[in-house]
Amino acid sequence: MTGTAFIADLVLTGGTVVTSKSRFKADVAMKDGLIALVGKPSAMPAAKEVVDVSGKFILPGAIDVHVHFREPGYTHKEDWRTGSAAAAMGGTTTVFEMPNTHPPTRSVTELRQKQQAAEKSHVDYGIYGLLAEDNIGELQGLIDGGVNAFKCFMGNTFGNLPSPSTGAMLEGFEIIAPSGLRISLHAETASIMAWRQKRLMEAGRNDPLAHIAARPAIVASEAVSRAAELAEWTGARVHVLHISSAAELRPLADAKARGVEITGETCPCYLLLDSRDYARLGSVIRVNPPVRENSDSVAIWQALQSGVVDMIATDHAPHTPAEKSKAVIWDADCGFPGVETQMPLMLNQVAAGRITLEHYVKISAENPARAFGLWPAKGRIEAGAHADIAVVDMERTETIEASRLQSRGKVTPFDGVAVTGVPVHTLVRGRFVQRDRQIVTETSGWGRQVTDIQRMPPAQVRNADQTLAAVLQGPAPVTAGATA
Ligand code: DOR
Ligand code: ZN
């Protein structure tokens, strides 16, 4: 003993800590929900509990900025208890939850409903507010009321929330920009998709591949370009959700090069599946945006390595088997659960040598924490940070079984896939929420909204004199003596 003055709540001993840059053998002591000490076993304080994690890796828990937990309104698909249990099982310690519930999270009243539903969560969470045409007047209230980010559906998807016109989007960006909060974009252009789907349906195309035909990559690249222009004009911070194509990487990279505050995510399905899987999976693979060509996956992998794509998220989108399995592709609900399978699927890629464990920490924890203002409280294994941890066994092999998912949505294109690399414990603020591949059921309700730790730096607002709010005041008064 070194005479350390406190008694830790928990010490993880014998493991290897992984950061975005390195890995090293160290023990981790936790107290009052925080990491108190990372260091040699001889430096550890006495602890109420010591857990041996020899041979395992200690990662910051994944931060998934894109999940749909469906409550209120669609609890036959998922609710906050089952969705957050899926997160805990998957080594994910913080989620940001989307507003396409019923009712959608459009106003402070609906935010309060969402917050109440979220009280059951096993893991910490951010809550998205909606940016739509019919709630422009509610945006400031949502900011003041404590949303953690905004979501703008440029294209339709589950919930069929109408996409705002570019005019309404611009006004929304103007209102949100000064708050510094990030606006996440479902970047698919609705009018192109509606037109093509109608024409395909008229022509009798009902097969799974017709889904890609209705949403070619131009749908995504046009939307990313347009959103980046609006972000550049207003200074709003934006985030491109579920990057699915090589085509949208160019406007994303260009915008970054111009200094636009833009980040991007992809999801495991766009890295690990492609058009050749449609025949096998049928309507199960239907997701918005669609899984595309192998050449798209290859380009997205490269962008994930180079940093053009900042992070991995899941678009966890559970539906029932009946809603997913349809003979006519247009009738099948889009999306599938992902928050539980992301880490095993990506660790399996680590095991295969496709990405390092360090880079995985960067894209799953550090980068999302930085982009959404949770850094330095979350996303790192260092003294002072939240003790949000995934203990990973890189030798353990498991087979993903849809029927055994914690999620209520028991349909996944990854059913039957064997993976090497599994989170065997998940801790949220020092407490086990998953232990030895079992959910600690009594931790439902332990999760907290991240508002108190979220710090978004002030945004560089641009063209403030030309916002709708400014010009609606009328022309600036002419100062005396200004006339010739
Ligand atoms: O396929 C999808 N399903 N894509 C989305 O963006 C939303 C999601 C859902 O909520 O079901
Ligand atoms: Zn989504």
Side-chain angles (χ1 to χ4, degrees), residues 16 23 29 82 91 103 115 121 133 145 221 275 302 324 335 409 428 438 452 480:
T16 297
R23 64 183 76 186
T82 53
Q115 285 170 320
S121 186
E133 203 147 308
S221 61
S275 61
Q302 279 167 0
K324 282 299 288 175
V428 173
Q438 300 290 323
D452 57 337

Side-chain angles (χ1 to χ4, degrees), residues 66 68 70 100 151 153 157-158 186 242 286-289 315 317-319 334-335:
H66 189 170
H68 301 263
R70 307 297 193 207
N100 58 334
K151 167 74 174 273
F153 289 94
T157 188
F158 175 73
H186 184 113
H242 41 46
R286 188 178 190 213
V287 59
N288 297 326
D315 192 10
H319 300 286
C334 297

Side-chain angles (χ1 to χ4, degrees), residues 9-31:
D9 296 325
L10 174 67
V11 167
L12 297 178
T13 188
T16 297
V17 170
V18 187
T19 75
S20 62
K21 295 188 189 69
S22 66
R23 64 183 76 186
F24 48 90
K25 283 201 80 107
D27 285 10
V28 178
M30 293 160 241
K31 184 163 178 64

